[in-house]
Amino acid sequence: MSREAAAMLEQAVDLSRQLLAAADRGDSQAVAFLDAQRLQLLKSVRNGASAPHAHERVLLQEIALLNDKSIGSLEHHRRIKGRQLDVAIAGRRAVHAYAHARQLR
């Protein structure tokens, strides 16, 4: 790969770090924006289609690792939101049940 491709991969690593930070905050809009930017960089690198050197392979592995961590963080936030919705639904049902019982007195 060329120096230009290596520089784009380094930018993609930086974007991956920012993406992980946004995923840790639960900021899905920032994650989507950063992911789109990173995708464009990776497509540009791929269009330069030559075999990656050792340094570029290390950068690609770091991007993959950061991506896996980001996905894990987003899944964690999704589970938290799911639990919050379950609690809200249970609360709504309880309010409805007690409101009905109160009317019978």
Side-chain angles (χ1 to χ4, degrees), residues 97-105:
Y98 287 120
H100 180 64
R102 190 172 184 194
Q103 292 173 355
L104 295 177
R105 287 184 182 181

Side-chain angles (χ1 to χ4, degrees), residues 55-75:
H55 177 66
E56 286 88 9
R57 282 194 299 272
V58 169
L59 292 173
L60 289 168
Q61 288 173 345
E62 186 174 355
I63 290 168
L65 179 65
L66 290 166
N67 195 57
D68 288 345
K69 288 180 181 180
S70 298
I71 290 169
S73 184
L74 289 171
E75 281 293 318

Side-chain angles (χ1 to χ4, degrees), residues 1 4 27 29-30 32 44 48 53 66 69 71 74 76 80 82-83 85-86 88 90-91 93-94 96-98 101 104:
M1 286 190 170
E4 183 180 323
D27 187 352
Q29 289 180 340
S44 296
H53 298 293
L66 290 166
K69 288 180 181 180
I71 290 169
L74 289 171
H76 176 71
I80 289 171
R83 284 192 296 271
L85 284 172
D86 289 344
R93 287 180 183 152
H96 180 68
Y98 287 120
L104 295 177

